Amino acid sequence: MATVLIVDDEFGLAEMAGELLTILGHSVATAINGKLALAMLDQVRPDVILLDMMMPIMSGPEALHVLKANAEHRDIPVILMSAAGREVVTADLEPLMAGFLQKPFSYQELVAALDRVFAAVRG
């Protein structure tokens, strides 16, 4: 299965999503902000990143720009997440992201978003 990096400062959401993904057979790593997530990429090579938009230290959009500017990591698909809704996704983020999840999301929405990313990667 896949390795998923969940980046969110809401512990409950990260824990719930991580448990669901683990039950499905995925390997899960978590980080509480974008800066920690980027630092983790030296040890963990995720197949996909679930990235919250609003976090302290380094926001999701900031982390996404840094990630995509790095040749080693730019091919990692990123699904942005936000409770504020899809309208917070700016035009500069659209081409960088692989999907979007409105928080709170259901188990089915999470699985569907990951399935879309994995299908796109497989071609």
Side-chain angles (χ1 to χ4, degrees), residues 53-54 61 80-94 100:
M53 290 195 59
M54 295 181 282
L80 287 177
M81 307 181 293
S82 179
R86 184 126 169 66
E87 60 272 5
V88 299
V89 176
T90 56
D92 65 317
L93 296 176
E94 282 288 343
F100 181 83

Short mmCIF file of all heavy atoms in Angstrom, two decimals, residues 53-54 61 80-94 100:
data_model
loop_
_atom_site.label_atom_id
_atom_site.label_comp_id
_atom_site.label_asym_id
_atom_site.label_seq_id
_atom_site.Cartn_x
_atom_site.Cartn_y
_atom_site.Cartn_z
N MET A 53 -4.34 23.72 5.19
CA MET A 53 -3.94 25.04 4.70
C MET A 53 -3.55 25.99 5.82
O MET A 53 -2.62 26.77 5.64
CB MET A 53 -5.07 25.64 3.86
CG MET A 53 -5.21 24.88 2.54
SD MET A 53 -6.17 25.71 1.29
CE MET A 53 -5.30 27.23 1.03
N MET A 54 -4.26 25.94 6.94
CA MET A 54 -4.01 26.92 8.01
C MET A 54 -3.37 26.25 9.21
O MET A 54 -4.04 25.50 9.94
CB MET A 54 -5.32 27.60 8.38
CG MET A 54 -5.88 28.43 7.24
SD MET A 54 -7.42 29.28 7.63
CE MET A 54 -8.60 27.94 7.49
N PRO A 61 -0.06 26.36 2.21
CA PRO A 61 0.38 26.95 0.96
C PRO A 61 1.88 27.25 0.92
O PRO A 61 2.54 27.02 -0.10
CB PRO A 61 -0.45 28.24 0.87
CG PRO A 61 -1.71 27.90 1.60
CD PRO A 61 -1.24 27.03 2.75
N LEU A 80 -4.76 19.23 -0.59
CA LEU A 80 -4.95 20.30 0.40
C LEU A 80 -6.24 20.06 1.16
O LEU A 80 -7.21 19.51 0.61
CB LEU A 80 -5.00 21.66 -0.29
CG LEU A 80 -3.67 22.20 -0.81
CD1 LEU A 80 -3.90 23.54 -1.53
CD2 LEU A 80 -2.66 22.38 0.30
N MET A 81 -6.26 20.49 2.42
CA MET A 81 -7.43 20.36 3.29
C MET A 81 -7.70 21.70 3.95
O MET A 81 -6.76 22.40 4.33
CB MET A 81 -7.19 19.33 4.39
CG MET A 81 -6.72 17.98 3.95
SD MET A 81 -6.49 16.83 5.34
CE MET A 81 -5.11 17.56 6.23
N SER A 82 -8.99 22.03 4.10
CA SER A 82 -9.34 23.25 4.82
C SER A 82 -10.79 23.20 5.25
O SER A 82 -11.65 22.71 4.51
CB SER A 82 -9.12 24.49 3.95
OG SER A 82 -9.50 25.65 4.67
N ALA A 83 -11.06 23.73 6.42
CA ALA A 83 -12.43 23.89 6.89
C ALA A 83 -13.07 25.10 6.23
O ALA A 83 -14.30 25.22 6.20
CB ALA A 83 -12.46 24.04 8.41
N ALA A 84 -12.27 25.99 5.69
CA ALA A 84 -12.78 27.23 5.10
C ALA A 84 -13.42 27.01 3.73
O ALA A 84 -14.08 27.90 3.22
CB ALA A 84 -11.65 28.25 4.99
N GLY A 85 -13.21 25.87 3.12
CA GLY A 85 -13.82 25.58 1.83
C GLY A 85 -12.87 25.77 0.67
O GLY A 85 -11.81 26.39 0.79
N ARG A 86 -13.25 25.26 -0.46
CA ARG A 86 -12.41 25.26 -1.66
C ARG A 86 -12.10 26.67 -2.15
O ARG A 86 -11.10 26.89 -2.83
CB ARG A 86 -13.11 24.46 -2.78
CG ARG A 86 -12.27 24.33 -4.02
CD ARG A 86 -12.15 22.87 -4.39
NE ARG A 86 -11.61 22.52 -5.67
CZ ARG A 86 -10.38 22.74 -6.07
NH1 ARG A 86 -9.53 23.37 -5.32
NH2 ARG A 86 -9.96 22.33 -7.25
N GLU A 87 -12.95 27.62 -1.83
CA GLU A 87 -12.73 28.99 -2.31
C GLU A 87 -11.45 29.63 -1.76
O GLU A 87 -10.99 30.63 -2.28
CB GLU A 87 -13.94 29.89 -2.02
CG GLU A 87 -14.30 30.03 -0.56
CD GLU A 87 -15.25 28.94 -0.06
OE1 GLU A 87 -15.58 28.00 -0.80
OE2 GLU A 87 -15.64 29.03 1.11
N VAL A 88 -10.84 29.04 -0.73
CA VAL A 88 -9.58 29.58 -0.20
C VAL A 88 -8.37 29.15 -1.04
O VAL A 88 -7.27 29.64 -0.84
CB VAL A 88 -9.34 29.20 1.28
CG1 VAL A 88 -10.46 29.76 2.16
CG2 VAL A 88 -9.19 27.71 1.46
N VAL A 89 -8.60 28.24 -1.99
CA VAL A 89 -7.52 27.79 -2.86
C VAL A 89 -7.30 28.86 -3.93
O VAL A 89 -8.18 29.11 -4.76
CB VAL A 89 -7.84 26.43 -3.52
CG1 VAL A 89 -6.75 26.04 -4.49
CG2 VAL A 89 -8.02 25.36 -2.45
N THR A 90 -6.15 29.50 -3.89
CA THR A 90 -5.84 30.57 -4.83
C THR A 90 -5.35 29.99 -6.16
O THR A 90 -4.96 28.83 -6.25
CB THR A 90 -4.77 31.50 -4.23
OG1 THR A 90 -3.62 30.71 -3.88
CG2 THR A 90 -5.29 32.21 -2.99
N ALA A 91 -5.36 30.82 -7.17
CA ALA A 91 -4.99 30.39 -8.52
C ALA A 91 -3.58 29.83 -8.58
O ALA A 91 -3.31 28.91 -9.36
CB ALA A 91 -5.15 31.55 -9.50
N ASP A 92 -2.67 30.34 -7.75
CA ASP A 92 -1.29 29.84 -7.78
C ASP A 92 -1.16 28.44 -7.16
O ASP A 92 -0.20 27.73 -7.44
CB ASP A 92 -0.33 30.81 -7.10
CG ASP A 92 -0.60 30.98 -5.62
OD1 ASP A 92 -1.78 31.10 -5.23
OD2 ASP A 92 0.37 30.99 -4.84
N LEU A 93 -2.15 28.05 -6.35
CA LEU A 93 -2.11 26.72 -5.73
C LEU A 93 -2.72 25.63 -6.61
O LEU A 93 -2.33 24.47 -6.53
CB LEU A 93 -2.84 26.73 -4.38
CG LEU A 93 -2.25 27.63 -3.30
CD1 LEU A 93 -3.14 27.62 -2.06
CD2 LEU A 93 -0.84 27.19 -2.95
N GLU A 94 -3.67 26.01 -7.44
CA GLU A 94 -4.40 25.03 -8.28
C GLU A 94 -3.48 24.07 -9.03
O GLU A 94 -3.67 22.86 -8.96
CB GLU A 94 -5.32 25.75 -9.27
CG GLU A 94 -6.59 26.26 -8.65
CD GLU A 94 -7.61 25.19 -8.30
OE1 GLU A 94 -7.52 24.05 -8.79
OE2 GLU A 94 -8.51 25.51 -7.51
N PHE A 100 -8.46 18.32 -3.23
CA PHE A 100 -8.87 19.14 -2.10
C PHE A 100 -9.91 18.38 -1.28
O PHE A 100 -10.78 17.72 -1.84
CB PHE A 100 -9.48 20.46 -2.58
CG PHE A 100 -9.89 21.36 -1.46
CD1 PHE A 100 -8.98 22.18 -0.83
CD2 PHE A 100 -11.20 21.35 -0.99
CE1 PHE A 100 -9.35 22.99 0.23
CE2 PHE A 100 -11.59 22.15 0.06
CZ PHE A 100 -10.66 22.97 0.68
#
